[in-house]
Amino acid sequence: MTAPLVKDQISITKSDFIDQVIQDYSVAYSSRLASLIGRKEVLTGKAKFGIFGDGKEVAQVAMARFMENGDFRAGYYRDQTLMFALGLSDIQKFFAQLYAHPSVEHEPSSAGRSMNGHFSTRMLDEHGDWLPQTDRINISSDISPTAGQMPRVLGLAFASKIYKSNEALHQNTNFSNQGREIAWGTIGNASTSEGHFWESINAAGVMQVPMLISIWDDEYGISVHAKHQTTKQNLTAILSGFKTDKFGTGIELITVNGWDYPALINAYKKASEVCREKHTPVVIHVKEVTQPQGHSTSGSHERYKSKERLDWETEYDCIARMRNWMIENKIITDIKLTELEKDIDAQVKEAKKVAWASFRSEIKTELDEAVEIISSLNGDYAQELKEIMDAGRKDILKILHKTMRQNVGNPAIEKVEHFYTQYLEKYQTIYSSHLQSESNRRAVNIVEVKPEYHPESETLNGFEILNRTFDALLTKHPEVIAFGEDVGKIGDVNQGFSGLQEKHGDTRVMDMGIRENTIVGQAVGASLRGLRPIAEIQYLDYLLYGIQIMSDDIATIQYRTKGGQKYPLIIRTRGHRLEGIWHSGSPMGMILNAVRGMHVLVPRDMTRAAGFYNTMIQSDEPAIIIECLNGYRLKEKLPINLEEVSVPVGVPEIIQEGTDVTLITYGSCVRIAQEGIVMLQEKGISVELIDVQSILPFDIHHSLVESIKKTNRVVFMDEDVKGGATAFMMQKVLEEQGGYRYLDSDPKTLTSQDHRPAYGTDGDYFSKSNPEEVYDVVYALMHESNPQQFP
Ligand SMILES: Cc1ncc(C[n+]2csc(CCOP(=O)(O)OP(=O)(O)O)c2C)c(N)n1
Ligand SMILES: [Mg+2]
């Protein structure tokens, strides 16, 4: 029989349809149980915190029905049911994450590094290379900052557009089937208050990309009601201005209730068709969603929800409603359903037990070993460790440490120390690996190629050197795309991409709206799907709009998936010296502290910048490359091997050798320093000038201390605020490299003022470090050491 029960449902036989509905209900029901049991696990102390998907189950089983291989999801912590429905997680893995089991095998989403409900699938093999993406559904790794997923889901959808429109990429079948993939996003109603949401929705509408967003609207964001979140308390109403017009441009907007299974199936069917076939973005506003257990284990919703609301939530519980609907429509009898639920109860409890047992069993072995070793020295301490309930690795290390402290000088302690050191090292690695890529293609492995010159080499403007480099990269790598404000038609405000849109097409070199946050998000999503984006932030001063994504998403991707996902992307920007409060920024300390996990590269000229672009395109890691704003019109000799030039990351360059003082700087300050050095030379002072070039990673071979061994004096200079990147460099060289031992004078920093730089030539002079200050700081050091010679 081929009578579809649900209106417009794909034509399937009745028995298949019934099986499908029962399957959906089973997944939803088992997910609910996992939530209920999960909360208990936290409240009884077996896990620290829990946030669950209860109340959102039925919408998610409906959504899962329409996802296809090759599709991507970027969502948030409520999506456990979707993960179960897709077979991408299971109850055991769910509990393994709740217990923070630090194992990729047991907890593949984050290896115990993320809170529960933060999902991902593994997209890299054991060498860090891409696995195929088109034979599976891909879950981009969740982050906690609400709405932080939005720029990424936009980027994932943007990638489909690129794959569809650029025929040269149609052969990349591991990444895309000619752009037919939908990027599915989920977000809570309250998180739509964030700018990220509106910026992403607008950008999707402008670009017409296959982004399908589901809003789980439970009327609350923790305790804060929709009336404080959303104009008119009505997302459908305020989104309606985005609705598709008669030309089909805009966003398809669908509203549906979260307890209405057949309506949800219809909604997702319609949504996915238009999104996949026409690349029309869709928002599904899933209303009347509940939170049976409140927001999370941190509080109870009885504190802020009225009795009426709580009663309504019980009445409109999606699982209870689906259950009734199934019985009313004779899909299954109450008795059979009750039997099924009993079976599921047993399965969920068993899976939870197995997850706990495997989490504890490894610790238990280690605990036994530690107790035995400690008991040979202190029976009481051994007993203390034994008695700690569900003792963890921290407890083991604390008691071992205490035993060592008590037995200083006792030769028998050696065994404890040995165990302690090995144990600490093992777990330090388990918890601290993968800040960056550990593959062979990590940036530090890319081999240096120095620029070579011909006696008759041409001299070009800096921007022309870059232009040739970008042209070569676009020619050589079809996956390279470049985009940003003014990057397309005019080829960026400083002409680095001039003429390249005409040459390579507008699917390679693109203009974007003024929206730094989602420009970064587009780079994220595109890079996760095998493209090689160069995303431009027009000026370094506006990086702040995008730095949240850089810090929370890009910089943590390898770490939070323990090498399961990567973003090989380049953020291109220009900064340092120019003029005025917002066009001469150099907030390096802020950046380098926010993006540990990325590379921060600060080339002093455009040849060096070209070398960094070439290096990073060969690597599989994310970088920010900051070009010098005042360098585009400076003349540079054109290397004969420009396309091959590769500047190594983490390797400083000695610009000028010297014997009296080491001056360490980077970027535009190299030229400022050189001016000061000329004045010092006139006084017979010899300065060794070093350009660090790469702030993260920083001097990986510890070459700077070698210079200090020779000069015994050091100045760290830049144009950041005091205590910014100069303090970072000082810590690296004096503490990490042990440079303090070789100093005969105080270490010095030379920075800008703490205020933003004032406009104009004089404003710049009084705001930023300048050549006369270089002279003064260095001269003062020499005077102190030899007042006769340097009065
Ligand atoms: C940027 C940011 N601000 C605050 C928080 C703390 N926080 C976590 S969840 C949440 C409420 C989110 O509500 P909603 O988007 O409606 O999702 P729901 O939990 O209701 O599904 C808040 C404020 C956060 N994680 N990120
Ligand atoms: Mg909510």
Side-chain angles (χ1 to χ4, degrees), residues 51 56 76-78 144-147 187-192 194 216 218-222 229 291 295:
I51 191 149
K56 281 88 183 165
Y76 79 116
Y77 50 78
R78 296 284 183 216
S144 295
T146 64
I187 185 166
N189 60 298
S191 302
T192 66
E194 297 278 9
W216 310 140
D218 55 18
E219 273 190 38
Y220 283 86
I222 310 187
Q229 306 278 3
Q291 285 180 342
H295 175 76

Side-chain angles (χ1 to χ4, degrees), residues 514-533:
I514 306 180
R515 44 179 183 77
E516 289 77 11
N517 178 283
T518 45
I519 287 173
V520 175
Q522 276 173 240
V524 168
S527 69
L528 189 61
R529 296 191 57 192
L531 297 171
R532 298 304 309 260

Side-chain angles (χ1 to χ4, degrees), residues 29 33 37 340-350:
Y29 182 83
L33 267 184
I37 296 172
L340 178 70
E341 288 165 350
K342 231 172 102 188
D343 286 349
I344 295 174
D345 280 5
Q347 285 162 20
V348 170
K349 282 183 186 140
E350 180 58 23

Side-chain angles (χ1 to χ4, degrees), residues 687-753:
V687 175
E688 178 138 307
L689 176 62
I690 305 182
D691 175 8
V692 302
Q693 309 195 88
S694 159
I695 302 223
L696 293 177
F698 186 85
D699 189 18
I700 53 176
H701 305 305
H702 290 195
S703 66
L704 296 176
V705 70
E706 297 307 316
S707 175
I708 297 177
K709 280 183 193 169
K710 189 169 69 175
T711 61
N712 311 113
R713 287 178 195 88
V714 65
V715 178
F716 298 93
M717 173 198 179
D718 74 359
E719 50 182 306
D720 192 4
V721 294
K722 299 172 202 314
T726 49
F728 168 79
M729 296 194 288
M730 187 150 86
Q731 183 269 331
K732 286 280 178 193
V733 178
L734 299 193
E735 186 183 83
E736 235 177 78
Q737 301 185 11
Y740 74 93
R741 273 177 278 164
Y742 308 100
L743 289 181
D744 290 341
S745 306
D746 283 357
K748 293 286 178 198
T749 63
L750 173 54
T751 66
S752 293
Q753 299 297 323

Side-chain angles (χ1 to χ4, degrees), residues 32 65-66 84 271 379 455 480 483 644 675 775:
R32 174 65 60 89
R65 286 264 163 228
F66 298 93
F84 300 151
V480 169
F483 51 87
E644 281 79 48
E675 262 190 67
Y775 176 91

